[in-house]
Amino acid sequence: MTTLAERKEMIDQKFHGGNRNLRTLQFHLDSSEEDTIIDDVFVSIQDNLNNPNALDKCNLVISRFTYKAIQTNYSAKWLQIIEELITAYDNLRRELPCQLYISKSSCLGQFQTFDNEIEICLKTATLVSRNDLEKIEALIKLAYYYDGIGSYSQMEQSLIQAESICKISLSEHIYIADIWCALGCLKFITFDLNVAMKYFQKSLGVLKNLDRINDNSISKIKFAKTYSTCLHYMGRIKLEKHQFKECIDFYIQSECKLVDFCRDYKITQDVGATAFYHLRVAQVLDLLGLTKYADYHYQQSKHFFETENPYPSGLSQMTLAISKQEEQIKKSIEENSRISYGRGYLMSSIKLFVIYCKSLKLHLAFALIVNIFFKLLTDKLISFRYVLILLKQIFLSSYGLGIYTKLKIVQLKLLKSNEILTVCPCPDPKCKEHTPVKSIL
């Protein structure tokens, strides 16, 4: 037998529960991202899935908190609630909104670099977009997907299409800055460094103007990430030009800008960006022979990639950077194949090839080359389109085998150049106090 209080609760739920659940969704939309608990958002969405009038608001809530869900290692659970909302839309025979496809693609990207479903989601998002902003966002996401799988011509096509839409009426919008930042990344990848630098400078010009006029309409998360990415890649360009001090200075600026912005606007910290910051700083210090400081930053990078899992390729890149032994690199090859990260697969394979050649295991080196060509012919993991670009990167760039860079460092040391660092310039006092461990793997 129910009590009076229980009966009142049942009546309240029957006549007012739906409205209360709907108000909960609005509460999440109005609340601070930093103060919102993802589990609470998840429950609120589930409570509203049976209410046809609440589905569009559920989509808005999912879109708003997808970034935080990913940053707090909730990708799998978030993908589950997205699928439940998709089912709710399908049951009512209603067209799925653009943002739901984008949110789904973001979660899928946390598990594999290459996934046909990601491409399908984003292409569909461009078709069902209701306005230019939605279409541009889908095109930018699609471009970064193509970047991850090495389809650079398709990446450029997506960005040029987005840029052409932006130039009509959004010439001073956060999206044009985002597009120019992505084009800068593309030109960096394809070794057109001077053009890449110009794109990053153009992007920063728009961002600084938006910051100056304090445009409250811009996405704070997008602003912070684009600003930080521009500075980070400008550092990478400086490294390729062997300007090591300026390189690390840009890396530090990038990380500090992101941390400060996230703190000031109560945005969840982008752990992936922080993990890559430590990785890139460590690689520069490693090249310069500052192994004590490099070890500290490698360990920090490994910590973020392992505990937070922000990107499927991140831990793979970090592991490859510090791997010296044959078995370690073989594991890296296997992991890159598992997550379908073609660029990482090739870089790992070539590093293993060099080890085989040095140890005169020529039969294994030959077998490895045969296996690579077999994959080129039969597997979508890698394609002929970017193999030559990648080979150039691996042998000449600082992030590959760094052969040319290492020779350049020897020359600069002989000349006693002021570009050669003798200590890590990062502001973290723990770096200076660090005692290297024997192995961080």
Side-chain angles (χ1 to χ4, degrees):
M1 185 174 179
T2 58
T3 65
L4 179 61
E6 289 172 335
R7 289 200 300 273
K8 284 183 177 180
E9 175 63 23
M10 291 169 61
I11 293 170
D12 182 60
Q13 180 65 31
K14 180 177 180 180
F15 292 102
H16 305 290
N19 290 332
R20 186 170 66 241
N21 290 339
L22 199 57
R23 286 196 299 271
T24 304
L25 290 177
Q26 187 60 50
F27 170 78
H28 290 312
L29 288 173
D30 295 337
S31 62
S32 162
E33 188 225 40
E34 184 182 54
D35 298 331
T36 302
I37 300 171
I38 289 294
D39 279 322
D40 292 346
V41 180
F42 185 91
V43 171
S44 296
I45 295 170
Q46 280 195 320
D47 287 344
N48 281 279
L49 289 176
N50 293 324
N51 181 359
N53 297 322
L55 298 190
D56 289 339
K57 190 153 286 190
C58 286
N59 168 58
L60 293 175
V61 173
I62 281 178
S63 177
R64 183 175 181 215
F65 291 101
T66 294
Y67 168 80
K68 178 164 185 172
I70 290 172
Q71 294 302 323
T72 52
N73 218 8
Y74 268 78
S75 298
K77 195 168 183 178
W78 210 243
L79 188 58
Q80 174 194 331
I81 198 66
I82 288 171
E83 293 290 0
E84 290 180 15
L85 183 56
I86 288 173
T87 300
Y89 270 102
D90 287 342
N91 288 340
L92 294 172
R93 296 183 180 179
R94 286 167 58 179
E95 184 177 70
L96 301 184
C98 170
Q99 287 295 337
L100 196 54
Y101 285 109
I102 292 174
S103 296
K104 182 178 178 179
S105 72
S106 297
C107 290
L108 288 170
Q110 298 306 114
F111 305 105
Q112 281 198 311
T113 302
F114 175 82
D115 186 337
N116 281 326
E117 193 172 359
I118 297 174
E119 185 176 11
I120 291 169
C121 277
L122 293 172
K123 283 185 172 180
T124 306
T126 65
L127 295 175
V128 301
S129 57
R130 295 165 297 181
N131 53 57
D132 286 346
L133 290 178
E134 287 187 347
K135 188 166 189 176
I136 290 166
E137 183 176 1
L139 286 168
I140 293 171
K141 293 279 189 183
L142 186 60
Y144 277 117
Y145 169 72
Y146 287 138
D147 171 31
I149 65 172
S151 296
Y152 299 131
S153 59
Q154 290 175 287
M155 178 185 182
E156 186 167 25
Q157 288 170 16
S158 297
L159 291 172
I160 294 301
Q161 185 182 351
E163 184 184 33
S164 65
I165 300 170
C166 249
K167 283 182 176 179
I168 296 172
S169 59
L170 301 168
S171 58
E172 282 293 313
H173 193 276
I174 182 65
Y175 278 120
I176 194 68
D178 203 3
I179 291 164
W180 284 339
C181 177
L183 283 167
C185 293
L186 171 64
K187 295 302 179 182
F188 173 82
I189 292 165
T190 53
F191 263 65
D192 198 344
L193 300 182
N194 291 331
V195 175
M197 182 63 84
K198 288 178 181 177
Y199 272 122
F200 291 129
Q201 289 170 340
K202 284 171 64 176
S203 179
L204 281 177
V206 173
L207 293 170
K208 287 176 181 177
N209 186 53
L210 291 173
D211 199 21
R212 180 181 60 81
I213 63 178
N214 195 24
D215 185 350
N216 291 322
S217 67
I218 64 174
S219 164
K220 302 304 180 185
I221 294 173
K222 191 178 296 296
F223 181 95
K225 290 184 71 174
T226 305
Y227 207 121
S228 174
T229 300
C230 285
L231 291 172
H232 182 90
Y233 271 89
M234 288 169 79
R236 295 186 69 172
I237 291 170
K238 291 295 182 181
L239 177 57
E240 296 304 334
K241 294 184 176 183
H242 311 113
Q243 297 168 329
F244 302 108
K245 287 185 178 178
E246 287 186 77
C247 162
I248 291 190
D249 184 53
F250 271 117
Y251 288 160
I252 293 170
Q253 285 184 55
S254 171
E255 176 66 4
C256 289
K257 184 71 178 179
L258 188 61
V259 170
D260 290 346
F261 209 88
C262 288
R263 183 193 62 239
D264 293 344
Y265 288 94
K266 296 184 177 181
I267 300 169
T268 304
Q269 175 65 31
D270 187 338
V271 290
T274 297
F276 274 115
Y277 155 73
H278 285 292
L279 174 60
R280 299 311 182 198
V281 169
Q283 288 176 309
V284 178
L285 297 172
D286 207 0
L287 281 168
L288 294 173
L290 302 175
T291 53
K292 169 188 171 180
Y293 308 113
D295 184 79
Y296 172 76
H297 287 285
Y298 277 136
Q299 288 197 55
Q300 291 299 303
S301 178
K302 182 172 184 283
H303 165 73
F304 284 113
F305 279 130
E306 281 191 335
T307 59
E308 304 295 342
N309 190 30
Y311 295 104
S313 65
L315 183 59
S316 168
Q317 290 186 52
M318 197 285 305
T319 303
L320 179 61
I322 62 177
S323 295
K324 308 295 182 185
Q325 304 301 319
E326 181 180 324
E327 289 306 313
Q328 294 170 345
I329 298 172
K330 283 181 179 178
K331 288 180 181 178
S332 179
I333 291 173
E334 292 172 2
E335 177 62 13
N336 284 311
S337 294
R338 186 187 68 79
I339 64 172
S340 301
Y341 181 44
R343 198 155 55 206
Y345 169 83
L346 278 176
M347 291 182 74
S348 303
S349 296
I350 291 176
K351 194 167 184 178
L352 183 59
F353 174 79
V354 171
I355 288 177
Y356 282 155
C357 289
K358 284 182 177 179
S359 58
L360 298 179
K361 297 178 181 179
L362 301 183
H363 62 294
L364 294 177
F366 176 76
L368 182 62
I369 293 298
V370 171
N371 188 52
I372 292 172
F373 274 98
F374 179 76
K375 276 193 173 290
L376 281 169
L377 293 170
T378 62
D379 196 336
K380 289 185 178 180
L381 177 65
I382 49 179
S383 67
F384 282 109
R385 288 187 177 184
Y386 72 97
V387 169
L388 291 178
I389 293 172
L390 189 58
L391 288 174
K392 184 178 179 180
Q393 281 186 295
I394 288 170
F395 284 101
L396 296 182
S397 80
S398 302
Y399 293 125
L401 298 176
I403 295 172
Y404 176 72
T405 299
K406 288 173 183 176
L407 292 174
K408 188 68 178 179
I409 289 171
V410 171
Q411 180 191 31
L412 291 172
K413 283 182 177 179
L414 290 173
L415 296 173
K416 297 183 179 180
S417 168
N418 60 7
E419 287 296 336
I420 298 297
L421 295 162
T422 57
V423 65
C424 178
C426 81
D428 188 348
K430 292 181 181 178
C431 176
K432 311 303 183 293
E433 302 165 359
H434 177 68
T435 301
V437 294
K438 191 170 184 180
S439 174
I440 66 173
L441 283 175

